[in-house]
Amino acid sequence: LDTQIDNLCDVVDFSAGGARVRLVDPMADISRLTLGLRHFGFFPARVVWRQGDELGLKFDLAPETVVGQMRGLLSKAALAGAF
C-alpha cells in the first residue's frame, strides 16, 4: 500500500548520497520517502536517522545518478531563466 503525504521541509544539507531535512510539520515515523525539490526533481530515499524535527536521508539512486540528474536540471533551469 502506497501512501502519499505532502510535508514541507527545509533542506539543511544535500549531497550526492543523501540529505538532512528539517520538517515544517512533525509526521509519523516513516522509513521511506521521496524528496521533491522544485527545479531539481525527485529523489527516492530511506530515512536512516531521526532527531527531533530533522531526518537523515540516504538516496536510493547511485551518487553518480544524483549528480547527473542535478547537472541536467541545473542546465535546463538556467536556460529557462529559473534562477
Side-chain angles (χ1 to χ4, degrees), residues 13-29:
D13 189 18
F14 187 94
S15 72
R20 179 168 55 123
V21 299
R22 184 174 299 119
L23 300 173
V24 172
D25 294 317
M27 59 191 312
D29 285 340

Side-chain angles (χ1 to χ4, degrees), residues 9-10 15 17 20 26 28-29 34 45 52 59 62 64 66-67 70 79-81:
C9 68
D10 296 318
S15 72
R20 179 168 55 123
D29 285 340
T34 299
F59 297 138
E64 310 80 52
V66 172
V67 170
M70 295 293 289
L79 288 173

Side-chain angles (χ1 to χ4, degrees), residues 17-80:
R20 179 168 55 123
V21 299
R22 184 174 299 119
L23 300 173
V24 172
D25 294 317
M27 59 191 312
D29 285 340
I30 56 169
S31 60
R32 305 198 56 73
L33 58 82
T34 299
L35 179 63
L37 301 174
R38 185 180 6 191
H39 303 299
F40 297 108
F42 296 92
F43 302 89
R46 65 184 166 90
V47 178
V48 293
W49 59 264
R50 181 179 191 139
Q51 184 174 352
D53 61 352
E54 291 190 348
L55 301 177
L57 309 177
K58 179 167 182 6
F59 297 138
D60 293 343
L61 303 170
E64 310 80 52
T65 303
V66 172
V67 170
Q69 182 175 337
M70 295 293 289
R71 219 178 256 141
L73 290 168
L74 277 171
S75 297
K76 288 179 187 174
L79 288 173

